Amino acid sequence: MKQLVLCIAAVGLTTTAFAQPCTPDPLYADSLYGVWPDTTENFVTGYVGVPYLQTLNLIVPEDAGVINPLFTGVMLDSVSFDNIDGLPPGLSVACASQSPANCTYMAGVLGCGIIEGTPTTVGTYPLTLNVTAYTFLFGGVQAIPQSFTGYQIIIDNTSGTVEMAAGGLGAVHNVPNPFSARTSIEFQLTHQGTVALSVFNLLGEEIWKQNVQGKTGTNRIAFEAGELEEGIYLYKVRSGSETFTGRMVLHR
């Protein structure tokens, strides 16, 4: 669970509490803690000369034991982002700070941030994220520095990739998963374009489809389970020549 606090770091750099670059997605408001996307999904791929945007939503855990079992019972007050090493040239980070302090996230409060800019150099960029967690110990505020790895940003060259430039599909997932009645299929596009979405049962029967005009950046399309029986369903997202197939679990 250390990746939770590391991703909290990824959403802030030099923005003050009065300049808010994003609004938290209420879809995640009922979660106890988490970061979306996580390190299994990782950050969306970028392309040289194409505007890049990665939106993050996060909730800092209140109990530090979620991050490290050695600190179980130690309650976190907040986590601040210190710096991030390894960002691709052309990209920068901005946070929606939740206190007068710079780039600070309060425990138990849904927050957000963005990585944006226009990449200039092809490569794979592992990221090292440095944060400081604040807790009350021994009658005073204690600062606990932490560094985390696990995320990376891949920057590719757009030369010869006309289909990618038309849509640039990435970071596809559905949240929440499992879900009981409603979930949101989320995906990133580097350019706006038509996106086809479908949901299938395990017999391969298409039970829902929708075509949307996707926008650059994060897109969210709601899927209502209706009278479907609980179980496993497959969803497909297609943009240009790119297709992603995922699994969603309906649990009543």
Side-chain angles (χ1 to χ4, degrees):
M1 293 300 181
K2 290 183 178 180
Q3 304 303 336
L4 300 175
V5 171
L6 81 84
C7 191
I8 290 162
V11 294
L13 189 58
T14 59
T15 308
T16 69
F18 301 101
Q20 306 297 346
C22 61
T23 301
D25 187 341
L27 181 66
Y28 306 102
D30 293 335
S31 302
L32 294 177
Y33 60 86
V35 172
W36 304 274
D38 61 19
T39 52
T40 60
E41 299 167 49
N42 228 307
F43 296 150
V44 65
T45 297
Y47 299 90
V48 171
V50 177
Y52 180 94
L53 177 66
Q54 173 68 70
T55 302
L56 301 174
N57 286 269
L58 58 105
I59 298 179
V60 178
E62 295 183 341
D63 190 331
V66 172
I67 305 166
N68 187 333
L70 293 176
F71 295 105
T72 299
V74 175
M75 305 307 292
L76 293 178
D77 172 75
S78 59
V79 170
S80 67
F81 171 74
D82 300 323
N83 56 64
I84 180 169
D85 298 325
L87 272 178
L91 299 188
S92 61
V93 191
C95 61
S97 188
Q98 295 173 338
S99 83
N102 192 43
C103 294
T104 302
Y105 295 88
M106 310 306 295
V109 180
L110 179 64
C112 68
I114 57 173
I115 299 175
E116 63 178 346
T118 301
T120 62
T121 309
V122 171
T124 298
Y125 297 86
L127 305 179
T128 299
L129 303 138
N130 304 303
V131 304
T132 300
Y134 294 94
T135 185
F136 293 98
L137 285 176
F138 312 115
V141 177
Q142 301 294 320
I144 306 173
Q146 295 280 348
S147 294
F148 302 97
T149 58
Y151 281 99
Q152 66 177 16
I153 295 178
I154 297 173
I155 304 300
D156 206 345
N157 199 322
T158 57
S159 300
T161 57
V162 177
E163 290 288 347
M164 176 60 72
L169 179 67
V172 185
H173 62 292
N174 74 293
V175 179
N177 191 24
F179 67 103
S180 61
R182 183 178 188 271
T183 189
S184 179
I185 300 173
E186 301 188 1
F187 54 92
Q188 294 261 351
L189 294 178
T190 58
H191 280 73
Q192 66 181 14
T194 301
V195 179
L197 301 98
S198 305
V199 175
F200 302 84
N201 60 26
L202 292 183
L203 297 177
E205 299 169 334
E206 186 178 60
I207 58 176
W208 177 86
K209 65 179 180 180
Q210 183 173 343
N211 290 339
V212 300
Q213 187 64 27
K215 63 181 181 179
T216 301
T218 301
N219 294 260
R220 300 178 180 89
I221 307 300
F223 173 71
E224 303 283 350
E227 301 299 320
L228 290 176
E229 296 182 357
E230 68 174 29
I232 298 173
Y233 294 86
L234 302 177
Y235 64 95
K236 181 180 293 186
V237 181
R238 179 167 55 85
S239 174
S241 62
E242 295 180 271
T243 300
F244 176 91
T245 301
R247 187 179 72 166
M248 59 174 64
V249 180
L250 175 59
H251 181 67
R252 302 291 189 182

